[in-house]
Amino acid sequence: MAHASTEDPISIQLEEPVPGTTLLRVDGEVDMLTSPSLRRAIADQLTSGRLLIDLDGVEFLGTSGLAALVEAREQALSHEVELWLICSSRQVLRPLEIAGLVELFRITDSATQILDAAK
């Protein structure tokens, strides 16, 4: 599932690396124009036991992108889905820190450890 063409500022790709775990790879800019695509992609995947959102390809994370992530957290809690953010870049971590949201999320810099434990 790719939500991007060459003109789109966002690309969202879906993988299932292990049964019960969905991985959304997000690349590009998450802003007011693209956050609805991210919201839809996340909402569609809140059926598995674990959802990993890989944000390492995100070049810009605006306030509407932060809001989409907070909404994803609330939806994951209500659906009893384990939600992880994968990010190591300043472009993503800094906005999360400034908004005081880091403590709300499970954040890791690599999916490997989570996926190895799920096997």
Side-chain angles (χ1 to χ4, degrees), residues 3-51:
H3 288 280
S5 69
T6 54
E7 296 87 36
D8 287 341
I10 191 171
S11 167
I12 302 170
Q13 297 174 353
L14 172 67
E15 298 175 25
E16 188 177 358
V18 295
T21 299
T22 303
L23 174 64
L24 284 179
R25 292 191 191 276
V26 184
D27 294 303
E29 300 173 2
V30 185
D31 57 21
M32 190 170 59
L33 295 174
T34 61
S35 61
S37 295
L38 180 59
R39 281 185 173 91
R40 277 190 303 276
I42 292 169
D44 290 347
Q45 301 309 317
L46 287 173
T47 56
S48 68
R50 183 179 300 110
L51 176 60

Side-chain angles (χ1 to χ4, degrees), residues 29-99:
E29 300 173 2
V30 185
D31 57 21
M32 190 170 59
L33 295 174
T34 61
S35 61
S37 295
L38 180 59
R39 281 185 173 91
R40 277 190 303 276
I42 292 169
D44 290 347
Q45 301 309 317
L46 287 173
T47 56
S48 68
R50 183 179 300 110
L51 176 60
L52 312 177
I53 304 173
D54 185 343
L55 300 169
D56 269 343
V58 171
E59 300 161 4
F60 174 80
L61 180 63
T63 55
S64 56
L66 292 170
L69 294 175
V70 171
E71 289 172 22
R73 178 187 178 271
E74 297 304 316
Q75 291 173 337
L77 287 172
S78 68
H79 288 87
E80 297 181 357
V81 171
E82 182 182 324
L83 177 69
W84 285 86
L85 301 183
I86 302 166
C87 54
S88 59
S89 70
R90 181 173 170 79
Q91 292 91 325
V92 174
L93 290 172
R94 187 72 177 136
L96 286 168
E97 290 168 357
I98 290 170

